[in-house]
Amino acid sequence: MPFKLLFFCTLFAVVSCTQQAKLSVSDIKEVAVKHFREKGFHAIKDTSHVHVKKIQTGLDDEWFVAFNAVMSKPVLFLYHISDPNELPHYIPLNNKSEGIIEHVDFENVTNDEDYELVIELHFDYGLAYQAREIVILRHPFGNPAYEIFSFPFEQVWESIDSFDNRYGLPEHSKRIENHSFYEFFEGYILIRGTINYRENHLLEYKWNKEHEEFLLILDEELHEAEEEENKGGIIHKIKGNKTLVEVNAHEEGCLAYLLEDAQGHVLDIPSKIHDELLCSQVTSLSPNGRYLIYTDLEQNAICLYDIELQKNRPILNDFDSYEGVSEIAWPPKNSSKFGFISINQEEFLENTRIHIFTLRDDEQFYEQTYHKKVYYICDITGFCVPQKDYNYQFKTPNLFVYTPDSTGIFTGLKVP
């Protein structure tokens, strides 16, 4: 038996070497705890201190990623389930202070043939300091993986300044340096929100292949507030690249959006659609910026607006009859197809239905529905949705994948 296979089988003694494909999350946790301890991570005492996520980089290529779920020097182990001969990949984040790894995923952030490992770190120092940082590693399956981007998108300091004289209750002060969110698209990283104490700010980074790094290309204040109120500002005409921006909603339970150009200027769209965007539960913009999908509460429908032709049409009626409607998924770099999941536990045999829309004549989208079981979760209010990218996504324009259960294993659905 080759040395690598012998090494792998010895470590995974909890199952026989002929059963590697059936390794469970609990099996991986047991092995990962041993690896953490061998590398000197003594904060990892048992399997409850380890999180494991199964990720597929292809229909037949599976990985288990194990990472610390408690305050520790952050570290990951990648186990290639599809190839038991491959040794585990050990990835320590040596330049980071003690923290918890909250989330990992593979994303093609650089918009090339390689996928990067995207990590979210949570630094929990109680009342004194709370922070979250995104870290992106290039070539996670190589030796070694290396960091190409990091940013602390949340940073909050809090302290007790005094105690009130009557009840002795503490009086707090809070200092927020960063409170923002990030998004990826076609080799760009956008970060919006409070950044370095500046509210309504935007940072844009672009991948530079020659230097193998993300370069800052835009650092400016967002203009949507004053332009939305039209206090002497200019409402720009539709042209060039467009971005859908989430803003503060004035109504509870609403998500509010504005349509902007690449410079952060609000664009002119029909007033009715503009108003609907201020409380739109399901909202999306196609990769080419031509199609806007939004929730029309007045029509009780999800609608598609063709910005180029200025045509509007409903694509899902009786919106309030569903327990949930998911986010919109688009194929990579493709605006001629999109899909989403609707949930109706009383009407659907599998509780869920997959909706695929395809553009066939340059103007009209045609719908196909598939009665398939897609994994989802419900909140305390009874609102139920699967999670885009984790429970469903387009791998290619003709391959929609989804997870039928909580194992995280994708099933393929070929669509015309």
Side-chain angles (χ1 to χ4, degrees), residues 90-105:
Y90 168 60
I91 305 179
L93 303 183
N94 293 323
N95 62 335
K96 305 298 178 184
S97 59
E98 287 194 355
I100 302 167
I101 296 180
E102 282 194 327
H103 179 75
V104 298
D105 208 350

Side-chain angles (χ1 to χ4, degrees), residues 23-38:
L23 284 172
S24 67
V25 168
S26 59
D27 295 332
I28 295 295
K29 282 189 173 185
E30 290 182 15
V31 174
V33 168
K34 296 178 183 178
H35 284 158
F36 278 110
R37 302 288 289 174
E38 289 171 359

Side-chain angles (χ1 to χ4, degrees), residues 365-381:
F365 277 97
Y366 295 88
E367 180 186 15
Q368 290 179 296
T369 57
Y370 302 86
H371 294 267
K372 301 289 185 180
K373 183 178 181 181
V374 182
Y375 180 72
Y376 62 88
I377 57 175
C378 301
D379 62 21
I380 57 175
T381 66

Side-chain angles (χ1 to χ4, degrees), residues 58-102:
L59 285 179
D60 300 314
D61 194 34
E62 297 179 340
W63 293 79
F64 274 119
V65 182
F67 47 96
N68 60 291
V70 295
M71 288 288 285
S72 165
K73 290 293 290 184
V75 63
L76 306 96
F77 289 94
L78 277 62
Y79 301 97
H80 199 180
I81 303 307
S82 303
D83 183 4
N85 292 326
E86 187 171 342
L87 295 177
H89 294 248
Y90 168 60
I91 305 179
L93 303 183
N94 293 323
N95 62 335
K96 305 298 178 184
S97 59
E98 287 194 355
I100 302 167
I101 296 180
E102 282 194 327

Side-chain angles (χ1 to χ4, degrees), residues 216-392:
L216 181 64
I217 62 171
L218 189 63
D219 183 348
E220 69 172 18
E221 299 297 322
L222 294 174
H223 304 295
E224 73 268 9
E226 61 265 28
E227 292 186 358
E228 172 66 11
E229 296 169 6
N230 201 20
K231 295 181 179 179
I234 300 172
I235 301 297
H236 291 243
K237 294 183 178 180
I238 299 276
K239 63 179 181 179
N241 294 330
K242 293 173 282 296
T243 306
L244 195 63
V245 181
E246 184 175 349
V247 296
N248 290 330
H250 300 293
E251 297 183 38
E252 186 177 354
C254 285
L255 294 174
Y257 298 88
L258 292 174
L259 193 62
E260 298 181 351
D261 64 14
Q263 286 71 46
H265 303 297
V266 174
L267 296 171
D268 186 20
I269 58 176
S271 58
K272 184 184 184 307
I273 297 177
H274 167 274
D275 293 343
E276 292 293 344
L277 286 179
L278 299 181
C279 188
S280 179
Q281 186 171 307
V282 177
T283 316
S284 185
L285 185 68
S286 66
N288 65 358
R290 175 176 172 178
Y291 303 105
L292 173 66
I293 298 173
Y294 67 97
T295 309
D296 189 320
L297 295 179
E298 184 178 342
Q299 291 191 57
N300 191 25
I302 296 177
C303 296
L304 183 145
Y305 177 59
D306 187 329
I307 298 172
E308 182 178 306
L309 299 179
Q310 299 183 5
K311 290 184 177 181
N312 198 44
R313 57 164 289 192
I315 58 174
L316 184 72
N317 293 308
D318 301 319
F319 177 74
D320 62 6
S321 67
Y322 296 89
E323 283 97 305
V325 178
S326 74
E327 292 183 82
I328 306 297
W330 302 86
K333 303 180 184 179
N334 188 297
S335 298
S336 64
K337 190 170 294 184
F338 65 89
F340 60 87
I341 316 294
S342 63
I343 299 172
N344 191 320
Q345 300 175 19
E346 293 184 0
E347 298 295 331
F348 299 161
L349 183 62
E350 300 288 356
N351 293 345
T352 56
R353 177 185 288 170
I354 299 174
H355 303 254
I356 303 294
F357 287 80
T358 304
L359 182 66
R360 293 181 181 171
D361 58 8
D362 198 37
E363 289 189 17
Q364 191 75 17
F365 277 97
Y366 295 88
E367 180 186 15
Q368 290 179 296
T369 57
Y370 302 86
H371 294 267
K372 301 289 185 180
K373 183 178 181 181
V374 182
Y375 180 72
Y376 62 88
I377 57 175
C378 301
D379 62 21
I380 57 175
T381 66
F383 181 72
C384 307
V385 287
Q387 192 171 3
K388 190 176 74 168
D389 296 332
Y390 301 104
N391 299 126
Y392 65 98

